[in-house]
Amino acid sequence: MELRHLRYFAAVAESGSLSAAAEKLFIAQPALSKQIRQLEEELGVLLFARHARGVVLTAAGKALLPEVRVQLTSMGRLVNLARRAKADEIHCLRIGLVPTATGTVLPELAARLRVNHPGIDIDVRGMESSDQVGALLTDEIDLGIACIPPRHAAISVVCELDDTLCIALHCQDPRAQQSTLDLRQFAEDRFAAFTEQPWLAQSSRLSELFTEAGYQPYVHYEAATVHGVLDVVAAHLAVALVPATVGVHRPRQVVLRALDKAPRCQPLTVLRRRADNNPVLVSVEPAMREIFSDWQRAGDEALTEAASAGCLPGAPVC
């Protein structure tokens, strides 16, 4: 089976007539009929039923047509991509990222890369942290945005988000009046948590703090993204342990408060292959450092606002 067979099949299916399709394809009708017969023989099914006014798709033909269209579209995209790359008109970057980075890192990174690489083709794949190292090693992706640092000599860390763990709670929660809170104050609360948060599970200092507080958190809600976790908090259904930098993404009903003896955390790590000549990667490190710096500033502001007049006893927070 060759690509032309699929192209001819789609043309006949759309025209409903061998003669009309042959005219559109600039080939003789007998030659087109022969190609269709070859495709039917190879597949072992009839794709068209002939009648006086032309042809109609059989059940097998109807089942095949959507997939053929997908394949033709993909092939057309590959051809165009190759031609543009040959003309040095485009750069490509394949990114694997954890769900929580999709609505946070990705829009800002893509915007910055397009400034330096107009027309860049960015391919995005949702991928767990544990799968990203393998995908980098097998050249399936060029960049990984993960929740844990790599443990392979061929993978390097572009940059990490150095952050402070804090507590997210509803603005009408009475504890929001305080600028710094203690984990012991949340022993009876329900917690919302990220589905994938190995950076949190690996924090020995956090485990110590919960041990000192005399309980382990009751995780009642889980979400894959920052927005999902914060939406639960915004609905006043739970509190959440989050990096302070989520302050840039929080709904207006959510406030962040510092934790006493709060541990540091690295919720996001940007990964690449050590030996990779992709020219786009040169722009990634400064872009990510700028993004993380902006987030850290927003996180600091979200925490310091707790010391403002809005957090004086009796004053409304939202």
Side-chain angles (χ1 to χ4, degrees):
M1 185 189 304
E2 298 180 23
L3 182 63
R4 72 170 184 275
H5 290 118
L6 301 182
R7 206 170 69 246
Y8 292 165
F9 165 72
V12 174
E14 289 164 3
S15 300
S17 163
L18 284 165
S19 58
E23 184 177 347
K24 179 180 178 182
L25 294 166
F26 300 102
I27 62 173
Q29 182 176 331
L32 177 59
S33 297
K34 182 179 179 180
Q35 296 293 329
I36 295 298
R37 281 198 303 273
Q38 287 178 351
L39 179 60
E40 290 178 325
E41 288 170 5
E42 185 166 350
L43 293 175
V45 294
L46 286 175
L47 300 174
F48 295 99
R50 280 73 173 174
H51 60 81
R53 290 180 296 177
V55 294
V56 293
L57 287 167
T58 62
K62 290 178 181 177
L64 186 64
L65 183 58
E67 183 60 29
V68 167
R69 284 173 172 158
V70 169
Q71 295 300 324
L72 290 174
T73 299
S74 297
M75 187 54 65
R77 182 176 177 275
L78 286 176
V79 171
N80 290 335
L81 191 59
R83 288 172 178 169
R84 291 172 65 192
K86 184 178 179 181
D88 198 27
E89 295 177 354
I90 191 168
H91 292 299
C92 304
L93 187 69
R94 299 164 300 168
I95 305 174
L97 72 174
V98 291
T100 193
T102 304
T104 54
V105 176
L106 183 60
E108 297 190 41
L109 177 60
R112 285 169 168 79
L113 291 178
R114 287 194 181 102
V115 172
N116 294 324
H117 305 277
I120 185 174
D121 187 73
I122 300 175
D123 179 53
V124 178
R125 308 178 192 184
M127 194 174 288
E128 292 185 6
S129 298
S130 56
D131 296 328
Q132 290 184 29
V133 170
L136 284 164
L137 293 173
T138 55
D139 195 25
E140 294 176 51
I141 59 174
D142 307 303
L143 190 74
I145 303 177
C147 292
I148 51 175
R151 294 179 180 174
H152 197 287
I155 305 298
S156 65
V157 174
V158 176
C159 60
E160 288 181 309
L161 177 59
D162 185 39
D163 214 337
T164 303
L165 206 61
C166 67
I167 191 84
L169 61 161
H170 194 276
C171 59
Q172 293 181 351
D173 189 310
R175 293 166 296 191
Q177 304 292 339
Q178 301 171 245
S179 60
T180 302
L181 297 166
D182 190 296
L183 277 179
R184 286 173 292 190
Q185 295 175 260
F186 299 93
E188 303 300 322
D189 283 84
R190 293 179 174 183
F191 280 76
F194 297 102
T195 305
E196 184 185 10
Q197 50 178 8
W199 50 272
L200 192 56
Q202 293 171 2
S203 173
S204 57
R205 180 57 190 144
L206 181 61
S207 297
E208 291 173 5
L209 289 176
F210 274 117
T211 299
E212 291 171 10
Y215 72 99
Q216 289 301 311
Y218 170 42
V219 178
H220 192 72
Y221 302 94
E222 287 191 357
T225 66
V226 166
H227 300 294
V229 170
L230 294 181
D231 284 346
V232 172
V233 178
H236 214 165
L237 298 175
V239 298
L241 289 170
V242 296
T245 51
V246 304
V248 72
H249 308 291
R250 63 193 169 103
R252 61 179 181 81
Q253 302 96 327
V254 175
V255 295
L256 304 183
R257 294 295 177 257
L259 283 172
D260 188 32
K261 304 175 185 175
R264 306 294 296 176
C265 62
Q266 286 78 40
L268 289 176
T269 303
V270 183
L271 313 174
R272 60 167 290 181
R273 284 182 297 277
R274 290 190 185 279
D276 194 329
N277 297 320
N278 188 327
V280 180
L281 291 172
V282 176
S283 303
V284 168
E285 182 170 355
M288 288 306 307
R289 291 193 182 282
E290 187 176 315
I291 290 168
F292 285 170
S293 177
D294 289 346
W295 288 8
Q296 285 165 337
R297 235 182 346 262
D300 291 342
E301 291 172 1
L303 291 177
T304 54
E305 75 176 15
S308 69
C311 285
L312 292 175
V317 180
C318 64

